[in-house]
Amino acid sequence: MAESAPVITIDGPSGVGKGTVARLLAARLGWHLLDSGALYRLVALGARRRGLSLDDAAAVAAYARGLPAEFREAAGGGEVRVLLEGEDVTDAIRTETVGNDASRVAALPAVREALLDRQRDFRRPPGLVADGRDMGTTVFPDAPLKLFLTASADERARRRHKQLKEKGIDVSLPDLLSEIAERDRRDRQRAASPLVPAPDAVVIDTTALDIPGVMAEVERHVRRVFGPAAGGG
Ligand code: C5P
């Protein structure tokens, strides 16, 4: 039964490294992966392409409900390919413009509601690692392990800058910092599913940690909750 599959939720602000940690953890455990941010990005990109106004909540929610998207999971922790109407948009949804548009459509309660079942459908045996902002509070409130990653805004901007640079995209660091701050503000202050840790979430400050350091901490909690055989070593 889908409901009985275990879920680990990983929430936190933009640029904190959730995506990488979620992908590594899912690969390590052999579990499915939900990148919920990609769903909001797909809605934003698709709505724009259809010429919808991002302020038209009813139209954007209707589009989100029938979102013509598909995720192709890669074996062994490779990048998940994301298709929109059959077109590979894996890279197209990663731009800062789409990220900002995603945070606008994500503030619309009707859009969040429209994506709920779709996100819960990812919960299948043997388990799911779900990455987002409200995985532990709204989408999977019964998850046995909820993680909330944080890092200072400066550090997150620096990480995002490095990531974009590696992809050959040159953005100014101060611009990135102000965009991250604006997106954080919108994500934290919205009425529908704001970005907050669930009361039972484990908060991990990653400011001074590299990815292996974060993974060691995450795996310690995985073993604590799921037993010594889980969470790698
Ligand atoms: O994580 P990512 O940067 O891809 O998410 C893009 C935007 O989608 C976020 O800034 C946030 O506004 C929104 N989002 C959300 N709830 C989620 C995942 C993402 O509101 N569970």
Side-chain angles (χ1 to χ4, degrees):
M1 252 198 350
E3 285 73 24
S4 65
V7 183
I8 297 173
T9 59
I10 305 184
D11 289 304
S14 306
V16 79
K18 297 181 309 279
T20 305
V21 170
R23 190 162 46 76
L24 290 173
L25 184 61
R28 181 78 55 102
L29 295 171
W31 289 11
H32 299 283
L33 177 65
L34 165 61
D35 170 5
S36 60
L39 284 171
Y40 291 96
R41 287 171 181 268
L42 284 162
V43 170
L45 180 68
R48 282 276 193 212
R49 285 185 174 180
R50 295 212 168 186
L52 302 179
S53 158
L54 299 189
D55 297 321
D56 186 344
V60 180
Y63 178 71
R65 202 162 294 117
L67 186 70
E70 200 191 316
F71 290 79
R72 295 220 174 123
E73 286 188 51
E79 194 176 20
V80 176
R81 303 308 296 182
V82 186
L83 307 187
L84 184 64
E85 293 190 45
E87 179 194 334
D88 190 323
V89 293
T90 313
D91 296 326
I93 59 167
R94 292 295 150 203
T95 66
E96 294 304 300
T97 308
V98 175
N100 282 317
D101 284 352
S103 124
R104 283 179 58 194
V105 302
L108 304 170
V111 170
R112 306 198 70 84
E113 175 67 33
L115 292 176
L116 262 185
D117 285 346
R118 182 147 198 157
Q119 295 176 84
R120 290 181 178 145
D121 284 346
F122 279 78
R123 185 177 199 168
R124 292 187 305 267
L128 175 69
V129 178
D131 148 17
R133 305 290 187 291
D134 62 341
M135 298 296 97
T137 49
T138 305
V139 183
F140 303 108
D142 63 333
L145 176 59
K146 299 178 182 177
L147 302 169
F148 192 93
L149 306 188
T150 64
S152 70
D154 280 342
E155 176 60 20
R156 287 183 288 122
R158 206 188 54 72
R159 288 178 191 170
R160 185 55 66 90
H161 188 251
K162 182 165 169 267
Q163 213 174 42
L164 290 172
K165 215 166 172 184
E166 281 164 6
K167 288 189 181 168
I169 306 168
D170 201 16
V171 208
S172 94
L173 191 56
D175 284 357
L176 260 186
L177 183 57
S178 72
E179 272 173 30
I180 279 188
E182 169 59 18
R183 210 170 341 146
D184 281 357
R185 192 195 54 75
R186 198 157 38 212
D187 290 349
R188 288 202 166 98
Q189 291 182 359
R190 69 179 174 224
S193 290
L195 172 67
V196 282
D200 51 346
V202 176
V203 179
I204 302 175
D205 184 348
T206 72
T207 306
L209 297 174
D210 58 6
I211 293 289
V214 179
M215 285 306 291
E217 190 60 11
V218 165
E219 282 168 0
R220 195 168 65 76
H221 289 286
V222 171
R223 284 192 296 273
R224 176 176 60 76
V225 173
F226 297 98

